[in-house]
Amino acid sequence: MTGQAETRRQRRRIQRSRRSRRVRALLAGGLVLGVGASVTLAAWNDSEYASGSLTAGTFQLEGSTDGVDFSASDSGSPHSLSFSPASEPLFPGSTRYALFSVRSAEASLGGDVQVFSHEENTTGLGAHLTYGLSVIEGTACDADTFDAGTTLVEPGSALSVSPDAAQDLGADQTAPVNYCLELHLPSDAENEAQGQTAAPSWEFLGTSVSG
């Protein structure tokens, strides 16, 4: 019996040894599989990038009373129109003309310009004057060029009237617009107009192109 017991114990040791070897083999295999999975999931990577730089343009107008010398102005220091003939004061039936040219400034965007009258006086000489406005070719503003131009305000209109249409302006000092203003004191102007003064003003509002 003792010999048989010993034999059984040896068999159990052999079986435990075999099981232990199989477990270690499986664990080793699991480790190998784990390493293999890690290698499969890893990857080199690289990236490309893009960015841009944008600069907004500018829009600015310049005006001129002779069509040659242009400069910017504001409502506090407007350009002073030169009405001709200027050698004598207004009298009933007389008409005066003045040029005003508008263009975009250097390096400015193009756009359009629209004229607005700022005359709201109902007293003094302004209450008696009428005016007209044309876009003309060239810079000679007189009765002939006024009539040959594109009428924006019909002659004989009140100083408070503003035209509806806008005029195109080229970019960077190109394609100036030449306006010819006609001021008229009707022949039936009342006596109260004598010795009175007026200072009509106009705004030339520019708007940059869009799109």
Side-chain angles (χ1 to χ4, degrees):
M1 292 295 292
T2 304
Q4 292 178 350
E6 180 64 26
T7 301
R8 284 196 294 271
R9 284 196 293 270
Q10 289 178 351
R11 288 177 179 172
R12 284 196 292 271
R13 284 196 296 270
I14 292 171
Q15 289 173 351
R16 285 197 296 271
S17 176
R18 288 175 179 173
R19 285 196 296 269
S20 178
R21 286 196 299 270
R22 284 198 293 268
V23 169
R24 287 196 297 271
L26 287 173
L27 290 175
L31 290 174
V32 171
L33 288 173
V35 172
S38 176
V39 171
T40 301
L41 291 174
W44 290 322
N45 60 74
D46 190 16
S47 300
E48 293 295 330
Y49 301 90
S51 67
S53 177
L54 300 172
T55 302
T58 60
F59 180 70
Q60 183 179 0
L61 300 185
E62 296 176 331
S64 172
T65 58
D66 60 8
V68 177
D69 297 319
F70 286 83
S71 62
S73 65
D74 56 40
S75 60
S77 55
H79 293 279
S80 181
L81 296 172
S82 299
F83 286 95
S84 61
S87 58
E88 55 187 21
L90 286 173
F91 55 88
S94 62
T95 303
R96 299 289 183 268
Y97 295 90
L99 171 75
F100 191 67
S101 299
V102 178
R103 72 181 184 186
S104 57
E106 183 179 4
S108 170
L109 299 169
D112 58 43
V113 61
Q114 190 165 3
V115 185
F116 294 93
S117 175
H118 284 194
E119 178 59 50
E120 298 179 355
N121 290 337
T122 57
T123 60
L125 186 59
H128 303 274
L129 289 172
T130 64
Y131 94 109
L133 180 66
S134 284
V135 174
I136 61 173
E137 296 290 337
T139 58
C141 175
D142 53 34
D144 291 335
T145 57
F146 183 95
D147 292 339
T150 300
T151 302
L152 300 180
V153 176
E154 290 291 340
S157 298
L159 291 177
S160 59
V161 174
S162 297
D164 295 326
Q167 294 72 56
D168 292 334
L169 286 175
D172 195 20
Q173 299 184 337
T174 59
V177 180
N178 300 313
Y179 296 95
C180 186
L181 285 155
E182 178 190 271
L183 285 183
H184 179 67
L185 182 61
S187 57
D188 60 353
E190 299 177 4
N191 285 334
E192 64 183 33
Q194 295 186 68
Q196 298 296 314
T197 60
S201 63
W202 293 268
E203 177 184 2
F204 297 79
L205 177 64
T207 304
S208 65
V209 294
S210 59

